[in-house]
Amino acid sequence: MKKTAIFAAMLGCSVVLGACSDKEDTSKKDADTPTEEQQQEEQAQQNLEDQGAVDKTGSAKSDDELKEEIGNEEGVTSVSLIVTEDSGGYVLLDIDADDAMSEESAKELTSKYLKKVEEKYPDHKIDIQVRKSGETFAQDTKE
């Protein structure tokens, strides 16, 4: 009986001390106030809107069939193809070539695919670049 009384007294004291503590309930505070990351994201979005920026991520697409065809060409290491429908339509084609590709074969590649892209997207403006080691060494465009 003496152990039960001591246990009950200690439990009662801990409840009273816990209720009177100086700590705030952080679960309520966290739910009501936005985090620093959320505030920064909202600030960035507001800045873009103030500058008149438009989110165009939904208006760009890719042509996987053409991209794969170009990727199979000799000397091509990677291909980036973006087709946009806004502002009259653009086709942006970036081809990364290996170090063995000559400038002549790169120019042949750009003219070949300029014709193919023109057939597929006749109303679009086209920009094709071939890059080697990050530097553009062949380019073809159609306005």
Side-chain angles (χ1 to χ4, degrees):
M1 175 93 169
K2 188 175 183 182
K3 288 181 183 178
T4 307
I6 293 174
F7 179 71
M10 289 184 74
L11 183 62
C13 286
S14 64
V15 169
V16 170
L17 289 174
C20 294
S21 73
D22 196 18
K23 290 186 178 178
E24 291 182 29
D25 185 13
T26 58
S27 62
K28 247 187 191 180
K29 184 179 176 184
D30 290 344
D32 294 339
T33 58
T35 64
E36 186 177 320
E37 184 176 306
Q38 290 171 333
Q39 289 174 343
Q40 289 175 350
E41 188 175 309
E42 289 172 6
Q43 176 99 21
Q45 184 68 27
Q46 184 64 37
N47 287 343
L48 288 175
E49 290 172 4
D50 291 344
Q51 295 172 2
V54 178
D55 183 18
K56 297 181 181 182
T57 55
S59 67
K61 61 181 181 177
S62 184
D63 187 339
D64 292 332
E65 184 180 304
L66 186 60
K67 195 173 171 179
E68 185 177 330
E69 181 182 338
I70 297 167
N72 291 332
E73 289 285 334
E74 184 178 336
V76 174
T77 57
S78 69
V79 178
S80 173
L81 176 67
I82 300 171
V83 180
T84 64
E85 298 299 329
D86 57 335
S87 301
Y90 285 92
V91 178
L92 306 171
L93 177 60
D94 291 327
I95 303 169
D96 289 328
D98 61 10
D99 292 333
M101 182 179 277
S102 68
E103 189 172 340
E104 182 181 315
S105 60
K107 288 181 181 181
E108 289 173 8
L109 189 69
T110 59
S111 62
K112 174 183 175 181
Y113 283 103
L114 179 64
K115 290 176 187 174
K116 285 193 177 197
V117 171
E118 278 180 322
E119 290 172 7
K120 206 164 193 179
Y121 304 99
D123 297 332
H124 288 67
K125 297 173 184 165
I126 303 167
D127 180 34
I128 301 175
Q129 294 183 1
V130 179
R131 297 179 183 178
K132 183 174 17 175
S133 302
E135 298 288 324
T136 301
F137 74 106
Q139 182 173 4
D140 214 343
T141 58
K142 174 207 160 215
E143 294 293 322

